[in-house]
Amino acid sequence: MRELLFGAAYYDEYMPCERLEKDVAMMKKAGMNTVRIAESTWSTCEPQEGVFDFSHVERVMDAMEKEGVHVIIGTPTYAVPTWMVKSYPDVLATTVKGQGIYGARQIMDITHPVYLYYAERVIRELMKHAAHRKCVIGFQIDNETKYYGTAGKNVQEKFVKYLRKKFDNDLDAMNREFGLDYWSNRINAWEDFPDVRGTINGSLGAEFEKFQRTLVDDFLAWQADIVKEYRREDQFITQNFDFEWRGYSYGVQPDVNHYHVARSLTIAGVDIYHPTQDDLTGTEIAFGGDMTRSLKNGNYLLLETEAQGFPEWTPYPGQLRLQAYSHLASGSNSVMYWHWHSLHNSFETYWKGVLSHDFAENEVYREACVIGAEFRKIGGHLVNLKKKNHAAILVSNEALTALKWFPIRQGKGGSIVYNDVVRWIYDALYRMNIECDFLWPESENFNQYRVIFVPALYAAPEGLLEKLENYTKNGGTLFATFKTAFADENVKVHDQQQPYLLRSCFGVTYHQFTYPQNVGLSGKLFDGQSRGKAEGFMELLIPEGAQVLSSYEHESWKAYAAVTKNHYGDGTAFYTGCMMDEMSLKTVLMEVLREAKIAVPKCHYPLIVRKGRNDYGKIIWYYLNYSSAEQTVSGCEPGGTELLTGCHIKPGTEWKIPAWDLRIVEESE
C-alpha cells in the first residue's frame, strides 16, 4: 500500500434523504479516502429474480471517483432477498433449532445449490459494473462469514461422504475412534447414519463442527475465484473476519478457521469491536490485529470498528484517536468505521456511526477530522509497518471445539472454556508489553520464535505434538497450560499417562485433577512463600525430572507441583497445571521470558508500547496511554523524532503522555 486507508462503510440505499454530495464533502473534510459499499444490497441490486438495478452502487462510485475517494466493493451475498426465500424456502438453513424463518441476515444454507446459483449471478453482475472502475481498489467477499449452523439433509449427506473418506469406508474404525458403542450409539451401516444434530457424542459432534468449518473454506474460496475472473492485478481480495462474540470481539472464532480461509485472500481483513470509556484497554484491538496479521504474515486491513457504536461505547475525548493508532501499531494499513451515519430504521438503529441521526458534525466526527489530518501528514511513516516478534501463541479450532463439548470447568464456580485460557495468556503478555504473533497447527514457522505459548491444547494429532517436542529439543522455549495433549484429533482421550507424547518433554505427569478451593501457590517463584492463588482448575502434577517452580499450598495437595520447568534437549519446557491470579501468572511468565532471552520492558499497562519497521527502514515506537491519568515515559532508549509534534527526543529523555493520548517515535538512523 502507498497510503493508509481511512474511511467508513457507506450505504446510500439506507439514506432517508438525498445526502451523497454533502456526505462526500464531509468525508473529504475529515481526511477520509475510502468507503466500503454494496455488501448489504442484494435486495436493492436485484429487487426481483433476474431484474438488476445497480444505480445506488453506480452513483456512489461516480461521486467517489470524482472526488478521488477509493471504493471497496463487498459482494452482497450475506443477506438473501425475500423473493428467493418465497420461491425456494429451503435455502434457509436448517439448524439444531429446525428450519429457519426469514428476517435476520446470515440465515441461509451456504451449500444450497439454488442459493449458490443466484449468489454467483449477482456477484458476476456486480463485477461487470464495478471491477473496471478506477476508484475500486479491492473486493470484500461476503461479510463475517460463518456456516450459520447449517445442518440440513444435504449438509449431513456431505458429512457422511466426508467421514467415509476420512475413515477409508471403515465403519469399525469410525466407531472405535469416536467411541460410538457408548449408549448404543454404534452405527453399523452408512445408510443408518443418524441425524447428527441430536448426538451426545463429543467426538462425532466436534467432527461435524470441523466439517461445517470446511464449508466456509469452500464457500469463500468459490467466491474469491469468481472475483478473480474480473479483478485487475492492482485490486485486492479480502474478507472481514470476526471473533467469538461476548458483547464485543473476544477470542478465536469457533465457526471459521481463519487460517484456512486466508489462503483464498490476497490480504486478510478484520472487524474489531471493543469496550470504550473506562473499560478501554486496547487488548481487543491488539489481540484481533495480532491474530489477523499472523494469518498471512503481513499487513492487514481493519474493515470495521466502532466510531460510536452502542450507547455505552460513546468514546471519551481522545479515545477514537488512540484507538485508530492502536490498530496501526498492530500492522493494520487501514482504519474504517461501521459506519458513516446512524440508521433511522430497523435492527441496528442504535448502533451509531461517525455521524449521529441528525447528520450534524459532532465530537466523534471532529476527532475523526484530527485523525485524517494526521494520517495525511505522517501516514507515509506508518503504512506497511513490519513486525518481528520473538513470542507466539499457538491456537487451535479443534481444541476450541473439543473444550466446548468438554469444558475445563462448568457450573458452580463459573465455566472455563478454551478462549478463556487463550485470553488469560494473551492479556497478561499484552499488559507486560510483550508483543506476540499467532501460530496454527499447520504453521511451518515454529522455529523462528524463541518462545511458544500453548493454551489448553486439549485435542491434537500426534504430528502437532511431535512438532512441539522437536521445537523444544532444538532449543526453543515451550510453555503449555493444563489440558494440553489430553486427547487426539478425534477427541479420544489417550489411554497413556498425561501429557501424551510430551511427558518426557515437560518432565511431569498426573493422574488427577480438580477444582481448587482455597488453594495457594508457593515455592521458588514466590521466594518460598504463599503469594499466589490457584483459580478455576488444577492438575495434580507429579514431577519426573522437572524442577518444581511452584507447589500447591494446601494440606491435601501440598505434595503436588503447580508449575514446573524442564530442560529437554537444547530447549526448555514449562508447564502450569492450574489457572492463577494475574500477579502469579506474571511471575511465571517473567521466568519463561527470561529463559527465552526476551527482555521484559520496564513500562507496563496502562502504558502500552508497540513497535515495527516502516518503509524507510526505521523503527517506529508507539506509546499508547490507556488510562484517564497522565503517564510518564522514562529512559526512552531509542530516541528520534516524535512524529505527531515533530519534536526530537534524546535517548533517556523523560516525557509525559496525557490521558487517553499517545506518542509515536521514529527512531533515528
Side-chain angles (χ1 to χ4, degrees):
M1 295 248 175
R2 293 189 294 269
E3 63 180 336
L4 295 172
L5 303 183
F6 183 48
Y10 186 73
Y11 303 105
D12 183 59
E13 61 276 11
Y14 296 172
M15 291 293 179
C17 57
E18 175 55 48
R19 286 280 311 173
L20 184 55
E21 186 175 333
K22 175 68 173 175
D23 285 329
V24 176
M26 292 184 74
M27 290 177 189
K28 294 285 286 184
K29 180 180 177 181
M32 292 185 173
N33 59 11
T34 309
V35 294
R36 290 168 58 230
I37 67 171
E39 66 171 9
S40 300
T41 61
W42 195 341
S43 64
T44 307
C45 293
E46 191 177 6
Q48 288 296 323
E49 181 179 343
V51 177
F52 296 100
D53 179 3
F54 292 98
S55 56
H56 282 287
V57 176
E58 294 277 9
R59 75 188 226 103
V60 172
M61 288 192 296
D62 288 344
M64 300 303 168
E65 198 162 282
K66 179 182 177 182
E67 296 298 327
V69 177
H70 306 307
V71 176
I72 299 172
I73 297 289
T75 60
T77 50
Y78 82 107
V80 293
T82 55
W83 55 259
M84 184 192 301
V85 178
K86 194 71 172 178
S87 298
Y88 309 97
D90 59 346
V91 299
L92 298 183
T94 297
T95 70
V96 293
K97 297 179 180 179
Q99 180 69 44
I101 300 174
Y102 185 84
R105 63 180 186 173
Q106 299 171 313
I107 53 173
M108 64 282 181
D109 173 7
I110 61 173
T111 73
H112 197 290
V114 171
Y115 167 74
L116 294 174
Y117 170 81
Y118 287 117
E120 178 173 358
R121 188 171 70 176
V122 76
I123 292 170
R124 290 187 182 279
E125 290 296 325
L126 178 60
M127 291 300 105
K128 292 173 187 176
H129 284 78
H132 65 283
R133 295 296 296 260
K134 179 182 177 182
C135 61
V136 175
I137 59 172
F139 304 94
Q140 174 193 302
I141 50 175
D142 208 69
N143 175 76
E144 297 181 343
T145 314
K146 291 171 276 293
Y147 57 78
Y148 313 132
T150 187
K153 181 180 178 182
N154 62 319
V155 174
Q156 298 205 39
E157 287 174 351
K158 291 175 185 289
F159 178 54
V160 173
K161 291 179 181 178
Y162 161 91
L163 288 176
R164 295 182 77 152
K165 182 178 180 181
K166 174 183 171 78
F167 290 102
D168 197 23
N169 242 4
D170 189 340
L171 264 173
D172 287 337
M174 185 191 72
N175 282 302
R176 183 172 58 253
E177 286 302 305
F178 288 171
L180 291 172
D181 285 312
Y182 184 77
W183 279 1
S184 195
N185 276 191
R186 182 179 179 83
I187 301 167
N188 293 306
W190 291 109
E191 295 78 11
D192 296 338
F193 214 97
D195 191 323
V196 187
R197 292 178 297 168
T199 190
I200 50 83
N201 183 284
S203 295
L204 181 60
E207 192 68 30
F208 185 54
E209 292 185 45
K210 179 180 179 180
F211 166 74
Q212 288 172 304
R213 288 192 293 271
T214 70
L215 302 179
V216 184
D217 303 346
D218 295 342
F219 175 67
L220 291 176
W222 170 80
Q223 281 218 24
D225 285 342
I226 295 172
V227 172
K228 286 174 186 174
E229 294 181 33
Y230 297 88
R231 79 175 183 107
R232 300 190 305 266
E233 191 64 29
D234 63 334
Q235 292 170 323
F236 59 76
I237 298 176
T238 191
Q239 217 275 332
N240 53 331
F241 293 126
D242 66 348
F243 302 97
E244 183 197 341
W245 185 258
R246 298 191 182 182
Y248 55 90
S249 306
Y250 186 78
V252 179
Q253 171 56 251
D255 297 338
V256 184
N257 188 316
H258 290 170
Y259 188 76
H260 290 173
V261 172
R263 296 166 181 163
S264 302
L265 312 175
T266 64
I267 186 170
V270 68
D271 296 349
I272 300 175
Y273 294 99
H274 51 83
T276 59
Q277 299 183 9
D278 290 346
D279 296 323
L280 179 63
T281 66
T283 316
E284 288 74 32
I285 294 174
F287 177 88
D290 289 346
M291 181 166 284
T292 309
R293 183 190 66 250
S294 300
L295 291 171
K296 298 180 78 69
N297 295 315
N299 299 106
Y300 62 95
L301 298 176
L302 174 72
L303 294 162
E304 287 185 22
T305 191
E306 78 255 26
Q308 298 185 77
F310 299 140
E312 66 268 26
W313 287 356
T314 303
Y316 293 158
Q319 288 188 337
L320 193 77
R321 178 170 169 266
L322 175 63
Q323 293 158 197
Y325 283 104
S326 297
H327 290 292
L328 303 186
S330 285
S332 178
N333 273 343
S334 69
V335 175
M336 302 195 68
Y337 300 111
W338 200 89
H339 42 129
W340 171 245
H341 77 287
S342 301
L343 302 177
H344 297 77
N345 297 95
S346 202
F347 191 74
E348 293 178 311
T349 297
Y350 290 100
W351 186 297
K352 296 179 69 178
V354 176
L355 302 185
S356 296
H357 296 96
D358 59 7
F359 296 116
E361 291 191 9
N362 57 39
E363 291 304 315
V364 168
Y365 173 79
R366 283 187 277 272
E367 195 161 315
C369 291
V370 173
I371 297 168
E374 290 177 347
F375 279 11
R376 282 197 302 265
K377 180 181 176 182
I378 64 172
H381 295 264
L382 308 180
V383 70
N384 301 324
L385 190 75
K386 296 295 182 284
K387 304 175 80 69
K388 183 174 175 59
N389 294 325
H390 298 302
I393 298 175
L394 174 67
V395 292
S396 164
N397 279 93
E398 287 68 41
L400 184 158
T401 303
L403 287 172
K404 184 183 84 173
W405 283 87
F406 301 103
I408 299 166
R409 178 168 183 151
Q410 192 171 23
K412 184 180 178 182
S415 297
I416 301 172
V417 293
Y418 180 75
N419 273 326
D420 295 319
V421 187
V422 172
R423 284 292 301 267
W424 179 58
I425 298 295
Y426 181 88
D427 291 11
L429 292 169
Y430 171 79
R431 287 171 176 266
M432 295 167 68
N433 280 318
I434 301 298
E435 294 198 65
C436 295
D437 294 339
F438 282 88
L439 294 168
W440 286 263
E442 303 91 338
S443 299
E444 298 178 354
N445 56 334
F446 280 33
N447 290 331
Q448 78 178 49
Y449 296 100
R450 296 181 188 175
V451 60
I452 295 177
F453 297 91
V454 182
L457 187 63
Y458 178 73
E462 287 192 4
L464 176 56
L465 302 181
E466 289 168 352
K467 191 189 297 189
L468 292 170
E469 181 187 33
N470 289 331
Y471 163 80
T472 310
K473 187 182 295 183
N474 293 331
T477 300
L478 181 67
F479 174 87
T481 78
F482 47 88
K483 286 293 185 181
T484 288
F486 199 82
D488 68 11
E489 66 270 30
N490 297 316
V491 201
K492 183 178 182 179
V493 175
H494 295 291
D495 59 4
Q496 300 179 35
Q497 284 183 236
Q498 306 293 346
Y500 179 72
L501 266 186
L502 297 176
R503 179 179 170 187
S504 296
C505 180
F506 290 118
V508 70
T509 190
Y510 63 94
H511 310 287
Q512 296 176 288
F513 43 83
T514 187
Y515 303 147
Q517 296 186 50
N518 301 314
V519 178
L521 296 172
S522 63
K524 178 183 176 181
L525 277 180
F526 306 104
D527 299 325
Q529 301 179 37
S530 180
R531 293 189 177 177
K533 183 180 179 183
E535 297 180 347
F537 180 84
M538 55 186 282
E539 295 167 348
L540 305 180
L541 303 181
I542 303 169
E544 295 184 326
Q547 177 185 0
V548 177
L549 299 181
S550 175
S551 299
Y552 296 119
E553 189 75 14
H554 189 280
E555 62 179 14
S556 296
W557 311 130
K558 60 186 177 183
Y560 299 103
V563 183
T564 60
K565 173 182 178 180
N566 189 52
H567 295 292
Y568 186 73
D570 294 330
T572 307
F574 292 82
Y575 191 89
T576 177
C578 65
M579 290 192 86
M580 59 191 74
D581 59 279
E582 183 179 341
M583 287 305 299
S584 299
L585 177 60
K586 181 180 177 181
T587 302
V588 173
L589 294 179
M590 290 285 284
E591 177 67 16
V592 175
L593 294 166
R594 251 192 310 271
E595 184 70 28
K597 296 181 172 56
I598 295 176
V600 178
K602 294 179 180 178
C603 55
H604 52 80
Y605 179 83
L607 182 60
I608 295 299
V609 182
R610 315 208 93 200
K611 68 176 181 177
R613 191 175 297 274
N614 68 10
D615 280 346
Y616 298 102
K618 296 182 178 182
I619 300 294
I620 296 291
W621 294 78
Y622 285 87
Y623 296 87
L624 309 162
N625 179 8
Y626 273 97
S627 78
S628 58
E630 182 180 77
Q631 298 294 314
T632 300
V633 178
S634 57
C636 179
E637 296 179 2
T641 302
E642 203 291 304
L643 294 176
L644 293 167
T645 61
C647 296
H648 181 71
I649 297 177
K650 295 180 180 180
T653 302
E654 182 175 289
W655 34 285
K656 308 288 187 182
I657 303 179
W660 308 116
D661 205 346
L662 71 145
R663 297 290 181 264
I664 308 172
V665 177
E666 184 177 61
E667 196 170 316
S668 300
E669 293 285 0

